[in-house]
Amino acid sequence: MRVKLGIDPTAPDIHLGFAVVLRKLRDFQELGHTAVLVVGDFTARIGDPSGRSKTRPPLTEEDVKQNMKSYEKQIFKILDKKNTEIRHNSKWLAKLTPSEIVKLTSRITMAKMMERDDFAKRFKDEQPIALHEFLYPVFQAYDSVAVEADIELGGTDQHWNHLLGRDMQRSFDQEPQVVMLMPILEGLDGVRKMSKSYGNYVGVTESPKEQFGKLMSIPDDLILRYFKLCLDYDEDSLATIKKKLKAGENPRDIKMDLAEKVVSLYHDKKTAEKAKKEFIKIFSKNKEPEDIEELKITRGEEIWIVELLEQAGFVKSRGEARRLIQNGALKIDGKKVTDFTLNISFDKDTVLRVGKLRFIKIKPK
């Protein structure tokens, strides 16, 4: 069978939430079926409105190209490359003429479009729905026709989209695909789904230290769910963990086991053990990690603290740097700094710490 999975290159990282469905796709591969990975390089320029209360901004063609560069490397940490077809939907969608697009949309009624929960809610709340947003699910449904999908995998938030694919296939006299939906993994905030857009994710190619630290920050009530969805624990294994929690075992220790196993999955066991030791050293013993990146600056020359955080790569904007400093997230040689107007100079090696896990050593030259 041909098992389709669509992926939009909306950010350069694939996260653990998306890995849930990738791992299921790998299960199909192990049973001898073909994984058909549809990269939405065309539809990403429209923007998927699924689950959104307002119009999602589309990506530029350059955004898509940049984000796609590292995707294959990440995907093949999970999938079997030899049994995977990678198809870019721009190959068929970009070729459609205006006349063909009109014919394509004629296969779907407006009544069908308004069955979708988010569209119906936005219409009821008198929030704008741009016409191009209706095209996204139509094009996604046509992807199933183009690749002749027998099965389509996705998260439960894609339920309506994937069923529309069945309708589209019927209209082209194809056998309608079977839709298999996987649970949505909550992000690090414990509230919204794990998403690159929300910034609450753990990337599969992030450093072992970052992965470990992020996983230690999940709410305690998500421990069992992460063991189930990130590590495929069965019900008996989950029951054992549940008993430990009920008996009063420290959730922190169980999260350490979770984090170590996930890091082992995407890196290796030795690296995971090192990340665990580093975490214990930083948090339990309040010490600095062994390997700290270095930033060389001119000795004795003053620099604005906000600009320093920007140069160190800790922030994406100066506004973000100000917020971190005002919230007390910055320490210089162990002393908290909350004044974002500070100008500072260095004449010796100095360690900057932002939050719990990010360190950099300033080396004057």
Side-chain angles (χ1 to χ4, degrees), residues 48-207:
D48 181 5
S50 296
R52 303 278 166 171
S53 60
K54 58 183 180 180
T55 301
R56 180 175 184 171
L59 298 179
T60 65
E61 186 173 355
E62 186 58 33
D63 289 334
V64 173
K65 285 181 179 178
Q66 288 299 317
N67 292 340
M68 283 172 56
K69 284 182 179 178
S70 64
Y71 261 46
E72 287 191 26
K73 178 183 176 183
Q74 298 175 65
I75 286 164
F76 293 127
K77 278 180 167 285
I78 300 171
L79 296 183
D80 175 13
K81 189 172 184 177
K82 292 181 293 185
N83 201 20
T84 301
E85 286 183 20
I86 296 183
R87 307 283 297 277
H88 295 73
N89 66 9
S90 62
K91 296 296 182 183
W92 51 87
L93 293 177
K95 294 176 181 178
L96 293 176
T97 66
S99 175
E100 288 170 330
I101 292 172
V102 170
K103 288 180 182 178
L104 193 62
T105 58
S106 72
R107 297 171 184 267
I108 308 295
T109 66
M110 278 302 298
K112 182 69 176 179
M113 300 301 288
M114 295 311 296
E115 287 177 7
R116 200 165 116 161
D117 291 343
D118 47 3
F119 286 153
K121 185 177 186 305
R122 285 162 62 185
F123 183 77
K124 182 180 177 182
D125 294 343
E126 298 183 355
Q127 293 181 348
I129 305 172
L131 185 58
H132 77 277
E133 292 184 84
F134 287 128
L135 292 177
Y136 183 96
V138 172
F139 288 151
Q140 188 183 61
Y142 184 65
D143 288 346
S144 294
V145 175
V147 301
E148 299 181 340
D150 296 304
I151 296 175
E152 180 159 23
L153 296 181
T156 52
D157 59 339
Q158 294 293 319
H159 178 254
W160 186 90
N161 281 349
H162 292 355
L163 291 182
L164 193 68
R166 287 171 55 85
D167 293 340
M168 187 68 79
Q169 286 177 306
R170 286 192 190 97
S171 76
F172 278 89
D173 297 323
Q174 286 187 8
E175 185 73 21
Q177 63 190 12
V178 171
V179 173
M180 178 177 282
L181 303 175
M182 301 299 293
I184 298 294
L185 181 67
E186 293 83 355
L188 302 176
D189 55 9
V191 179
R192 297 180 294 187
K193 70 176 184 179
M194 185 174 286
S195 168
K196 295 166 285 190
S197 301
Y198 297 143
N200 62 351
Y201 70 101
V202 181
V204 300
T205 55
E206 285 188 291
S207 71

Side-chain angles (χ1 to χ4, degrees), residues 291-350:
D291 302 319
I292 304 179
E293 289 186 27
E294 296 180 353
L295 175 66
K296 293 182 179 180
I297 66 168
T298 304
R299 183 182 299 273
E301 185 175 293
E302 284 198 347
I303 184 171
W304 183 27
I305 192 66
V306 166
E307 187 179 337
L308 181 63
L309 291 189
E310 198 173 34
Q311 284 190 23
F314 285 147
V315 295
K316 294 179 180 178
S317 69
R318 293 186 175 185
E320 182 185 354
R322 290 189 187 98
R323 287 192 296 273
L324 283 173
I325 295 167
Q326 286 179 309
N327 292 333
L330 172 64
K331 288 184 178 179
I332 299 179
D333 274 349
K335 294 180 180 178
K336 188 178 291 187
V337 174
T338 57
D339 180 8
F340 68 80
T341 67
L342 179 68
N343 289 309
I344 191 169
S345 63
F346 299 91
D347 55 14
K348 64 182 180 66
D349 290 0
T350 306

Side-chain angles (χ1 to χ4, degrees), residues 228-239:
K228 181 177 182 178
L229 297 182
C230 298
L231 296 169
D232 298 333
Y233 268 41
D234 60 26
E235 293 304 316
D236 289 341
S237 300
L238 293 172

